[in-house]
Amino acid sequence: MKQIIGLSAFLFFSICVHAQKRGKEDTTKKTVVITSAYKPVLKPAAKINFAAAIPAADTSKPALLTYNVPAQNLFFSYQPVALKP
């Protein structure tokens, strides 16, 4: 059984390969010439300045927000249970 399957697969693929070779062969050679004015240039590398001075300290005071906190007038009628170890 395996021999029949192998033989049929071989025949199938040989017919496919033979079918691809049929027809008029292309004997002309085609060339493509690409001309471009673009010339790639590398960007200069960023270098670390090792002799840099420490930036000046910011002495300005930021404008802080003013909050309106209402009075805590909450009264609860329960008493918490005492904790006993």
Side-chain angles (χ1 to χ4, degrees), residues 15-25:
I15 291 170
C16 291
V17 170
H18 183 67
Q20 290 178 359
K21 290 184 180 179
R22 284 188 186 173
K24 186 177 180 181
E25 291 188 26

Side-chain angles (χ1 to χ4, degrees), residues 45-58:
K47 296 180 181 176
I48 300 172
N49 186 4
F50 288 110
I54 298 174
D58 185 14

Side-chain angles (χ1 to χ4, degrees), residues 1-48:
M1 185 67 183
K2 289 182 182 180
Q3 295 168 346
I4 295 172
I5 293 173
L7 181 62
S8 62
F10 174 74
L11 290 174
F12 176 74
F13 287 117
S14 63
I15 291 170
C16 291
V17 170
H18 183 67
Q20 290 178 359
K21 290 184 180 179
R22 284 188 186 173
K24 186 177 180 181
E25 291 188 26
D26 190 13
T27 57
T28 59
K29 293 184 179 181
K30 297 177 184 177
T31 59
V32 177
V33 178
I34 300 173
T35 57
S36 176
Y38 174 72
K39 302 220 185 290
V41 177
L42 292 177
K43 183 179 175 183
K47 296 180 181 176
I48 300 172

